[in-house]
């Protein structure tokens, strides 16, 4: 039984006397010792925030205390639109019962608790009609109250929109971009929002002629307030989005590589951008890296400019290397990716003075070899040796106990070393290398026989308590860019 089901079941177990508690006098309520009324407000609000709007409403009918918690500002700080949010069942002659967005429910929700929203997250919806209807109602709500009264969502600072560009069809997966009415209403909505600080608009896959209007709408009321912007695959072909330079106070930009070019990068460096996160996924089109001479000029113009490279989703592509860029972080969030010597050599050639983080998040979707030749042990060791500023290393691939000891001994500035316990191999399969002393080789052979000895020695080398993570803990690891 999950947490939501448990909470609803607990609400149903209240007897009739508890349901009539809203009619009690204040003196009688003070003497009520039932757990529903005795929970601290902050815990009750946390519980309500974990529920979808429908179940929040059901729980609010239990008693007066829960009814008051329903309208607490912390409960409605984040609004997430999912497939069944604010929908009702309707029978379709050809498809049977379908979930259809109810405009009335949406209007009531926005009128009663919309002023408490700090963040609106629109997840990928397979039903485009429901998506369009929500955007339309929300846009009309903002436009109406903005004209007749003060802005109805003064706390709203974050808007996150991701379009479901991939659907399952009769012939398999179908990838398509948005446009038409959905794009028009999205532009209208962005134009009606005021004072946004954080915006994400992802996976639109537009044509080049449709892109400019999106940034113009966002800049209408947010040109000075916007601080972080995420634009992933807004265009399905290489298209530099130079309109981003309208946002003068932007300090963090997350963008796909096809939206960058030499001129735009120089503009971003000149406007004082602090961090640039270049993200690739399965929908990112092939593109060329920025010229290395431009990166050198960027480092001269903005010495504190920092760049990260990331790969996400179900893709077997490799990260596009940006030669001589000030890359401090490389993160893999793709289950098919594995480290290879060519890519690691590129990192060591271009970023030895900058690289601080190399991480592989999640679990791989392929079995790693137990053979020393086919594993990435030598590649990880080479990376740690050549990049002295490396502070965080997250490894999900198979490595041996001896490799773990070598990494810990070489990583002088290594602060976070994260490996999977189930991916460690009890082996000492390293040959004697030039530069190693006989004492060091005996040290590796002696402490690679069991996990307890290896863990103890790694803790001593890192000068702190250390142990490998079990899989349930490793899957929670997430690098904040």
């Amino acid at each position: 039984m999950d947490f939501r089901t448990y909470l609803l079941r607990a609400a149903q177990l209240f007897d009739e006397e508890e349901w009539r508690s809203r009619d009690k006098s204040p003196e009688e309520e003070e003497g009520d010792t039932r757990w529903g009324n005795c929970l601290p407000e902050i815990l009750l609000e946390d519980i309500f925030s974990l529920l979808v709007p429908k179940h929040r409403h059901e729980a609010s009918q239990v008693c007066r205390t829960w009814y008051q918690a329903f309208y607490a500002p912390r409960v409605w700080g984040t609004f997430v639109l999912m497939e069944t949010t604010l929908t009702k069942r309707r029978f379709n002659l050809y498809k049977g019962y379908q979930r259809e967005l109810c405009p009335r429910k949406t209007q009531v929700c926005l009128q009663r608790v919309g002023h408490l929203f700090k963040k609106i997250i629109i997840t990928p919806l397979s039903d485009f009609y429901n998506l369009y209807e929500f955007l339309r109602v929300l846009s009309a709500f903002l436009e109406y109250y903005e004209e007749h009264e003060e802005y109805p969502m003064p706390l709203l600072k974050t808007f996150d929109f991701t379009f479901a560009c991939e659907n399952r069809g009769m012939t398999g997966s179908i990838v398509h971009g948005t446009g038409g009415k959905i794009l028009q209403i999205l532009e209208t909505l962005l134009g009606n929002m005021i004072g946004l600080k954080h915006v994400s608009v992802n996976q639109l896959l537009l044509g080049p002629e449709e892109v400019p209007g999106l940034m113009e709408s966002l800049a209408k009321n947010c040109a000075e307030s916007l601080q972080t912007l995420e634009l992933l695959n807004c265009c399905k072909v290489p298209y530099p989005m130079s309109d981003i330079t309208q946002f003068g106070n932007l300090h963090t930009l997350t963008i796909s590589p096809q939206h960058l070019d030499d001129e735009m990068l120089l503009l971003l460096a000149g406007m004082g951008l602090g961090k640039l996160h270049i993200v690739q996924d399965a929908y990112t089109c092939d593109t060329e890296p920025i010229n290395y001479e431009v990166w050198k000029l960027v480092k001269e113009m903005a010495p504190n400019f920092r760049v990260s490279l990331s790969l996400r989703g179900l893709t077997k592509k490799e990260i596009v290397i940006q030669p001589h860029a000030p890359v401090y972080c490389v993160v893999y969030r793709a289950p098919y990716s594995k480290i290879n010597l060519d890519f690691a050599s590129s990192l060591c050639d271009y970023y030895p003075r900058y690289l601080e983080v190399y991480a592989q998040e999640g679990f791989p979707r392929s079995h790693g070899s137990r053979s020393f030749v086919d594993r990435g042990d030598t590649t990880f060791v080479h990376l740690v040796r050549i990049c002295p500023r490396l502070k965080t290393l997250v490894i999900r691939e198979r490595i041996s106990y001896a490799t773990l000891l070598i990494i810990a001994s070489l990583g002088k500035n290594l602060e976070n070393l994260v490996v999977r316990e189930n991916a460690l191999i009890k082996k000492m399969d390293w040959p004697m290398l030039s530069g190693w002393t006989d004492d060091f080789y005996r040290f590796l052979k002696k402490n690679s026989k069991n996990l307890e000895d290896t863990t103890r020695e790694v803790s001593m080398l890192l000068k702190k308590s250390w142990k490998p993570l079990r899989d349930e803990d490793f899957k929670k690891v997430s690098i904040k860019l």
Side-chain angles (χ1 to χ4, degrees):
M1 183 182 295
D2 60 13
F3 178 78
R4 183 177 64 192
T5 306
Y6 173 80
L7 178 62
L8 295 176
R9 180 57 179 161
Q12 294 171 0
L13 291 177
F14 275 85
D15 55 21
E16 293 183 1
E17 181 183 354
E18 180 65 21
W19 283 87
R20 292 196 300 268
S21 64
R22 279 175 282 184
D23 299 328
K24 293 181 179 180
S25 65
E27 294 77 11
E28 291 174 323
E29 285 192 348
E30 290 179 0
D32 197 341
T33 58
R34 294 183 182 275
W35 69 271
N37 286 337
C38 294
L39 275 177
E41 290 184 5
I42 189 171
L43 293 182
L44 194 57
E45 292 173 6
D46 287 340
I47 292 173
F48 270 74
S49 66
L50 297 174
L51 303 176
V52 296
K54 176 183 177 181
H55 296 126
R56 288 179 193 171
H57 179 260
E58 292 175 349
S60 71
Q61 301 178 48
V62 171
C63 63
R64 182 175 296 173
T65 303
W66 288 26
Y67 178 79
Q68 293 172 348
F70 177 80
Y71 286 101
R74 295 178 65 249
V75 172
W76 294 99
T78 300
F79 177 83
V80 182
L81 181 70
M82 296 184 289
E83 289 284 356
T84 59
T85 306
L86 302 174
T87 60
K88 63 181 179 181
R89 291 182 69 198
R90 173 165 291 188
F91 182 78
N92 184 294
L93 183 61
Y94 301 100
K95 298 181 180 180
Y97 281 102
Q98 301 289 312
R99 302 298 303 188
E100 183 178 290
L101 189 88
C102 179
R104 177 59 181 165
K105 285 184 180 180
T106 308
Q107 292 172 5
V108 171
C109 176
L110 295 176
Q111 289 172 356
R112 294 188 178 182
V113 295
H115 65 283
L116 302 176
F117 292 176
K118 296 180 180 179
K119 178 189 297 186
I120 295 178
I121 300 175
I122 300 179
T123 60
L125 302 183
S126 58
D127 193 322
F128 296 156
Y129 174 79
N130 288 348
L131 173 62
Y132 174 80
E133 279 296 293
F134 178 80
L135 296 177
R136 183 186 64 81
V137 174
L138 178 57
S139 179
F141 171 77
L142 293 176
E143 187 174 0
Y144 176 82
Y145 282 96
E146 186 179 348
E147 291 178 356
H148 293 79
E149 301 176 11
E150 61 182 9
Y151 186 61
M153 292 185 174
L155 302 179
L156 183 63
K157 301 301 178 185
T158 302
F159 179 72
D160 189 335
F161 177 87
T162 302
F163 182 71
C165 62
E166 182 174 0
N167 287 329
R168 293 287 178 180
M170 298 294 292
T171 58
S173 296
I174 302 174
V175 178
H176 47 79
T178 185
K181 290 188 175 181
I182 292 182
L183 178 61
Q184 291 176 10
I185 197 62
L186 177 61
E187 292 177 352
T188 303
L189 174 61
L190 291 175
N192 289 332
M193 289 182 167
I194 299 176
L196 292 177
K197 292 184 177 180
H198 316 284
V199 173
S200 298
V201 181
N202 301 329
Q203 315 302 0
L204 298 185
L205 297 180
L206 300 171
E209 68 283 356
E210 299 173 307
V211 177
L214 192 66
M215 291 296 99
E216 291 176 3
S217 299
L218 181 59
K220 179 180 177 182
N221 294 314
C222 303
E224 299 299 326
S225 62
L226 198 66
Q227 298 177 0
T228 64
L229 177 62
E230 180 174 313
L231 297 172
L232 301 183
N233 305 315
C234 282
C235 190
K236 54 188 174 184
V237 296
Y239 181 87
M241 302 187 67
S242 57
D243 292 345
I244 295 175
T245 55
Q246 299 178 75
F247 307 103
N249 294 318
L250 193 68
H251 62 69
T252 301
L253 174 63
T254 303
I255 197 168
S256 299
Q258 73 260 31
H259 299 322
L260 293 171
D261 67 357
D262 297 353
E263 181 181 354
M264 179 181 170
L265 187 63
L266 293 175
L267 291 174
L268 292 175
M271 64 184 286
L273 188 72
K275 290 185 178 181
L276 175 64
H277 304 311
I278 304 177
V279 179
Q280 298 172 237
D281 59 20
Y283 310 112
T284 302
C285 64
D286 296 332
T287 185
E288 296 296 324
I290 304 296
N291 189 288
Y292 73 94
E293 294 290 347
V294 176
W295 282 116
K296 289 183 178 180
L297 185 57
V298 166
K299 288 188 287 188
E300 294 177 2
M301 295 173 56
N304 297 324
F305 195 73
R306 289 160 65 84
V307 179
S308 72
L309 305 177
S310 179
L311 186 68
R312 302 177 183 175
L314 300 178
T315 178
K316 296 183 180 180
K317 298 179 181 179
E318 189 54 80
I319 290 179
V320 176
I321 291 292
Q322 303 290 340
H324 297 291
V327 173
Y328 78 99
C329 179
V330 175
V331 178
Y332 280 95
R333 293 168 180 166
Y336 293 111
S337 63
K338 296 176 63 176
I339 195 169
N340 60 75
L341 186 57
D342 291 339
F343 182 76
S345 298
S346 299
L347 297 183
C348 296
D349 290 341
Y350 293 128
Y351 319 132
R353 295 185 301 142
Y354 299 99
L355 192 63
E356 299 179 6
V357 178
Y358 181 91
Q360 299 173 326
E361 296 181 2
F363 297 146
R365 286 207 174 183
S366 59
H367 264 311
S369 174
R370 295 183 65 88
S371 170
F372 180 78
V373 177
D374 298 327
R375 298 198 315 260
D377 297 53
T378 56
T379 307
F380 285 116
V381 170
H382 178 67
L383 185 67
V384 175
R385 179 187 291 117
I386 303 300
C387 301
R389 298 189 61 181
L390 196 65
K391 296 180 180 179
T392 299
L393 179 62
V394 181
I395 303 174
R396 69 182 178 201
E397 299 180 28
R398 284 183 169 178
I399 60 173
S400 66
Y401 288 179
T403 302
L404 192 57
L405 291 169
I406 296 172
I407 290 174
S409 62
L410 291 176
K412 303 301 181 182
N413 294 317
L414 206 57
E415 299 176 358
N416 302 300
L417 176 60
V418 182
V419 299
R420 294 171 53 213
E421 182 178 340
N422 290 339
L424 293 175
I425 304 174
K426 187 173 67 173
K427 277 187 177 182
M428 167 51 191
D429 42 10
W430 280 81
M432 183 69 174
L433 301 181
S434 59
W436 285 4
T437 63
D438 293 337
D439 290 340
F440 182 72
Y441 195 69
R442 285 193 295 268
F443 164 79
L444 294 179
K445 295 180 66 174
K446 176 183 177 182
N447 295 290
S448 299
K449 296 180 179 180
N450 58 70
L451 184 59
E452 290 76 14
D453 291 342
T454 303
T455 301
R456 183 188 68 250
E457 293 301 324
V458 171
S459 299
M460 294 179 62
L461 291 169
L462 297 179
K463 299 179 181 179
K464 65 178 182 179
S465 178
W466 181 92
K467 64 178 181 179
L469 297 183
R470 297 185 179 273
D471 282 351
E472 56 266 25
D473 296 322
F474 185 86
K475 68 181 180 182
K476 300 176 184 177
V477 174
S478 179
I479 302 299
K480 293 184 178 181
L481 300 178

